[in-house]
Amino acid sequence: MTEANCNDLAAALADVRRAYRLLWGYQKRILHIVAEIREQLGFMPSLIEYQFDTPDQKIEDPRRWMWDALPFSMIGFEAEQGEDRAQRGSRLLYIDVVSDTGLEQEADRCGDKWEPKPDRFQPPEDCRSELRLYILQNSRKRDENFNWHRDVVVEVGHWKAEGTAYKDESTDVLIYGETIDLIELGNRAALAARIDRFHVSAQTLLKALARR
């Protein structure tokens, strides 16, 4: 290996170390954001929804998708409100984290056929890092075995995050969703103010929808 190649490799590996440190900070910040949203809106954590698989002993198989080792790239956090989820009016908060819309777009294009490759993504500057916040409200009393994760969250790919409230006919729940660019959440005060606006809109529109 030539000296130039050694220098190039050393620089590349330094970039990798830098990337890991940035990723650590980003993921730590996401956890704080999720916790503060739950606390501000009065929801208790329940489950995590992984868009890819999660790391396990099989990750050493090179045929496995490397996204399985990067679960925060696309991950959903579920939280519940109300002691009895089967009762009318019980609620679920779903926080959908999309760290790179370029990955999401490529994953949609690939489906399950092949692993999304970063060299096919849109340039990072043309993509976004987003939270999609949803509040789902049970519109009727249900069977005691009702389960938000099993019976409703399976439809998350079809939910709308456009600042509107609507009834999802396939699951018979009321949904309000918004898309928030992480740029809007630069500090704690900005996060609190943005989530307050989300809360006011969700309360107003879901209440009006429930009266129909």
Side-chain angles (χ1 to χ4, degrees):
M1 183 177 289
T2 66
E3 182 178 352
N5 287 338
C6 286
N7 290 338
D8 288 344
L9 181 56
L13 290 173
D15 284 342
V16 170
R17 294 190 292 273
R18 190 174 294 111
Y20 269 110
R21 298 175 194 190
L22 287 171
L23 190 58
W24 179 90
Y26 166 76
Q27 295 189 164
K28 196 76 171 179
R29 176 62 180 151
I30 287 294
L31 288 179
H32 282 297
I33 287 174
V34 168
E36 291 182 31
I37 291 173
R38 286 191 306 238
E39 182 176 348
Q40 186 170 337
L41 297 180
F43 285 78
M44 295 298 295
S46 52
L47 291 172
I48 295 177
E49 173 81 1
Y50 296 98
Q51 302 301 311
F52 298 104
D53 287 338
T54 54
D56 57 26
Q57 295 296 328
K58 297 179 181 178
I59 195 65
E60 64 187 23
D61 183 345
R63 294 171 297 181
R64 285 288 296 269
W65 288 15
M66 189 45 59
W67 297 111
D68 296 344
L70 299 167
F72 270 60
S73 56
M74 294 174 67
I75 189 172
F77 296 87
E78 301 175 29
E80 296 188 36
Q81 188 180 69
E83 294 182 2
D84 187 352
R85 62 180 61 154
Q87 291 297 318
R88 180 178 181 180
S90 67
R91 288 183 166 188
L92 177 80
L93 170 69
Y94 192 88
I95 305 172
D96 193 16
V97 179
V98 180
S99 297
D100 184 350
T101 54
L103 167 61
E104 181 184 52
Q105 292 161 5
E106 184 64 15
D108 287 344
R109 190 179 73 84
C110 293
D112 295 328
K113 292 184 293 184
W114 59 83
E115 181 173 12
K117 299 293 181 60
D119 59 0
R120 298 194 184 106
F121 296 2
Q122 292 294 313
E125 297 78 11
D126 296 335
C127 299
R128 298 177 308 282
S129 299
E130 296 179 346
L131 294 184
R132 291 167 197 160
L133 297 188
Y134 303 92
I135 290 182
L136 287 75
Q137 181 171 304
N138 200 349
S139 63
R140 59 178 173 83
K141 181 175 175 56
R142 297 175 185 261
D143 182 272
E144 62 182 8
N145 294 320
F146 172 70
N147 182 287
W148 280 111
H149 182 78
R150 181 193 64 225
D151 300 329
V152 177
V153 175
V154 291
E155 298 292 332
V156 63
H158 303 292
W159 298 348
K160 302 171 187 175
E162 303 167 353
T164 59
Y166 65 99
K167 184 174 183 179
D168 181 68
E169 299 298 338
S170 64
T171 55
D172 203 22
V173 298
L174 310 182
I175 301 177
Y176 177 81
E178 287 185 19
T179 298
I180 300 176
D181 194 316
L182 283 175
I183 291 174
E184 300 179 56
L185 311 178
N187 56 51
R188 200 165 194 172
L191 171 62
R194 184 64 183 86
I195 299 311
D196 186 58
R197 295 200 304 274
F198 168 83
H199 185 220
V200 169
S201 296
Q203 290 288 85
T204 301
L205 295 179
L206 285 172
K207 186 175 181 180
L209 183 60
R211 288 175 175 169
R212 295 180 189 173

